[in-house]
Amino acid sequence: MADPATPRPRRFWRILLVVSLALNIAVVGIVAGFALRGGKEGPPRGMEFSLGPIGQALQPDDRRAIASELRKNRDLRPKRGGYRLVGLPEMVAALQADPFDPAVFADALQIPETRQVKIRDAVRAAVVSQISQMTDAEREAFATRLQDAGKRRN
């Protein structure tokens, strides 16, 4: 029989112990997952190319070199002035104009698309430049990784 003089653990302490154990296991899992994954996969922070299998096949150093090249291009940087959407001042001005001219508003809507084309073309040129600097062996390894990345997507 249990000794009546020794108090039984309260339910609160059991729950607290289980929650603490669960949090510790979660932290260990996150750290282990990060360590096993390598930690530096993907494009550099703040730079997503959206190149699909090409971006996956590039080595991290190649992605960093491409990102560095793109950061040097001042035309790709957003303009200062508090507007996150490129062309927003022009859109607002067109909407507030009296009389309203749909053609002016349509032109203002074209500004973000023009910027996207400029960015896409700059990314393409930077990728071609980086691949052009690879040795034959590096290009062959890149081609193999690209082929493997394409297979995983299907």
Side-chain angles (χ1 to χ4, degrees):
M1 267 202 320
D3 185 8
T6 58
R8 294 174 45 196
R10 293 190 173 169
R11 185 179 196 155
F12 169 77
W13 291 109
R14 283 186 192 169
I15 292 172
L16 186 64
L17 180 63
V18 169
V19 169
S20 174
L21 182 61
L23 287 174
N24 286 332
I25 290 172
V27 168
V28 168
I30 289 170
V31 170
F34 185 74
L36 292 174
R37 191 180 70 124
K40 288 209 170 202
E41 294 299 316
R45 265 189 291 171
M47 184 64 67
E48 174 57 51
F49 301 137
S50 298
L51 294 174
I54 294 172
Q56 293 172 2
L58 286 168
Q59 292 291 339
D61 289 342
D62 292 326
R63 288 192 296 264
R64 279 189 254 300
I66 292 167
S68 176
E69 185 67 29
L70 293 172
R71 284 188 192 105
K72 291 177 190 174
N73 189 337
R74 294 193 180 277
D75 292 338
L76 301 181
R77 294 182 184 170
K79 304 293 184 235
R80 302 236 182 234
Y83 295 108
R84 299 197 97 180
L85 178 63
V86 175
L88 185 62
E90 292 85 351
M91 289 180 216
V92 170
L95 290 168
Q96 292 174 339
D98 188 25
F100 173 72
D101 185 351
V104 173
F105 183 67
D107 289 344
L109 286 175
Q110 187 67 33
I111 294 171
E113 188 174 329
T114 302
R115 177 171 164 70
Q116 288 172 347
V117 168
K118 187 185 297 187
I119 291 170
R120 184 190 65 219
D121 291 346
V123 169
R124 181 184 305 122
V127 169
V128 169
S129 173
Q130 187 64 31
I131 292 172
S132 298
Q133 295 174 26
M134 291 179 181
T135 65
D136 290 342
E138 290 171 333
R139 271 193 309 280
E140 182 61 38
F142 172 71
T144 301
R145 289 190 307 272
L146 181 59
Q147 188 175 28
D148 293 343
K151 287 178 184 176
R152 283 192 304 263
R153 291 179 70 88
N154 289 335

